[in-house]
Amino acid sequence: MTKLTLGSYPHLLGFEQLERLLERTAKSENGGYPPFNIEQTSDHSYRITLAVAGFREEDLSITVEDRQLVIRGRQVDDEGDGRVFLHRGIAARQFQRVFVLADGVEVGEARMENGLLHVDLDRAVPEPVVQTIRIRKG
């Protein structure tokens, strides 16, 4: 059986990069931690909200790498501070969440509020372009 790809459709020219993007996105799912929401805040803007209770601002990093928004969290294990736990149900945990950004989507501000990390995204609206191609005689 032949695998259908975007390149196998004759009317979709130059979409090979989109196919690679879809494959990369499918591989980036990482088990659901931390939970997150994505909301559309206007016609051209979005907000990603991650539940990062227990993380401080200095435990988190936000980068854009090759059109991917990468949010990482790393908590320092506090076992060496002399505390004795009778039960430890809240573990120091690390995570990495990756969101693939479309062309024209830029990362705005990020802020922490009540254990939630909000990252705002803005999409630039391209001007519509109409191009007339002149036909030359043979």
Side-chain angles (χ1 to χ4, degrees), residues 8 21 30 44 74 86 94 131 133-134:
S8 63
L21 178 69
N30 61 348
H44 307 292
R74 172 170 286 182
L86 300 178
Q94 39 184 330
Q131 183 180 3
I133 309 300
R134 198 171 53 158

Side-chain angles (χ1 to χ4, degrees), residues 20-109:
R20 287 191 298 273
L21 178 69
L22 291 171
E23 289 174 2
R24 188 170 67 186
T25 302
K27 292 177 185 176
S28 70
E29 189 55 37
N30 61 348
Y33 181 78
F36 65 93
N37 292 337
I38 300 176
E39 62 182 297
Q40 186 169 3
T41 54
S42 77
D43 286 344
H44 307 292
S45 61
Y46 308 92
R47 173 173 289 152
I48 298 172
T49 301
L50 284 85
V52 292
F55 286 86
R56 300 169 299 164
E57 287 89 348
E58 53 268 19
D59 297 332
L60 301 169
S61 72
I62 303 170
T63 57
V64 177
E65 305 168 12
D66 190 26
R67 300 305 307 158
Q68 295 182 105
L69 171 64
V70 181
I71 303 172
R72 294 180 179 94
R74 172 170 286 182
Q75 291 177 315
V76 178
D77 196 0
D78 54 3
E79 285 190 25
D81 64 1
R83 296 192 292 174
V84 177
F85 290 94
L86 300 178
H87 172 74
R88 181 126 189 206
I90 304 171
R93 198 165 177 186
Q94 39 184 330
F95 70 86
Q96 176 175 303
R97 275 279 182 198
V98 178
F99 302 90
V100 178
L101 303 175
D103 287 338
V105 174
E106 298 295 327
V107 179
E109 72 172 8

